[in-house]
Amino acid sequence: GAGVSQTPSNKVTEKGKYVELRCDPISGHTALYWYRQSLGQGPEFLIYFQGTGAADDSGLPNDRFFAVRPEGSVSTLKIQRTERGDSAVYLCASSPVGAGAADTQYFGPGTRLTVL
Amino acid sequence: SQQGEEDPQALSIQEGENATMNCSYKTSINNLQWYRQNSGRGLVHLILIRSNEREKHSGRLRVTLDTSKKSSSLLITASRAADTASYFCATVHPQGAQKLVFGQGTRLTINP
């Protein structure tokens, strides 16, 4: 079946602009995660959804970052007033249940965001 | 912040040799997972080992876990050129709601 998809694959924007990154999880997966990966680093957790609600948003760096998942499927990560330091690959993952601690997370290909 | 540290940061071996990568972490865990990443994009789950397990095998992969030393190792036997990638360990805290905490990764290059 289809895996996790993310759009766009690449996004170039100017400092101060607003961007939206989209994630389509695997159908039926209730848990959805956003991570951010800077060059040469491992991914860093941003936010976790269980269904429609954000169960853990402790990784969002500041209030310029916001994410939604209104119908419990597709999620959008929104970044306001982008800064050059926001440049990174933004990864989305989903897992079947999310309630237990042993679910495998399935990652999408990521969106490479470049802020000029 | 990153919890895990992988060692070495980069490893280059000949095809057919075995590759060993190590991971250390700082807090208690529910489980530890290894992922592979090609070309800096999507990660592929390789193997999960629970905190009460000491060793696990999957095909050419062997993972060990030593919770007393807070460390894990990933062994890839009979390496192939297609194994060239970055490998990351990631931990799940017992109360971490499945949030993965990644290390910085090991860049593995298999030379033909």
Side-chain angles (χ1 to χ4, degrees), chain B:
Chain B
S1 62
Q2 304 283 331
Q3 172 178 222
E5 292 184 2
E6 272 101 334
D7 168 46
Q9 292 188 352
L11 178 63
S12 181
I13 62 174
Q14 294 302 118
E15 195 166 20
E17 294 180 340
N18 296 340
T20 299
M21 288 160 274
N22 303 296
C23 166
S24 61
Y25 56 93
K26 298 175 184 172
T27 68
S28 58
I29 62 171
N30 177 286
N31 65 75
L32 184 146
Q33 304 179 31
W34 284 90
Y35 284 81
R36 183 184 71 221
Q37 185 177 44
N38 292 87
S39 304
R41 299 304 284 263
L43 291 101
V44 174
H45 181 265
L46 296 176
I47 197 165
L48 180 153
I49 186 165
R50 290 176 169 74
S51 60
N52 62 352
E53 298 176 313
R54 292 297 167 258
E55 187 171 314
K56 207 161 182 181
H57 297 255
S58 177
R60 295 184 295 113
L61 305 180
R62 172 179 170 251
V63 169
T64 62
L65 178 64
D66 186 335
T67 53
S68 67
K69 295 181 180 178
K70 291 187 169 61
S71 67
S72 173
S73 68
L74 171 67
L75 168 67
I76 303 174
T77 60
S79 62
R80 305 167 181 169
D83 295 330
T84 294
S86 291
Y87 291 81
F88 294 90
C89 69
T91 55
V92 176
H93 190 273
Q95 283 84 42
Q98 285 235 94
K99 173 173 67 179
L100 292 171
V101 180
F102 286 86
Q104 293 189 332
T106 292
R107 175 66 189 171
L108 176 65
T109 302
I110 308 299
N111 301 304

Side-chain angles (χ1 to χ4, degrees), chain A residues 36-51:
Chain A
R36 177 170 72 171
Q37 186 175 24
S38 300
L39 190 63
Q41 303 292 315
E44 290 189 302
F45 169 79
L46 295 176
I47 187 169
Y48 153 57
F49 286 91
Q50 183 63 255

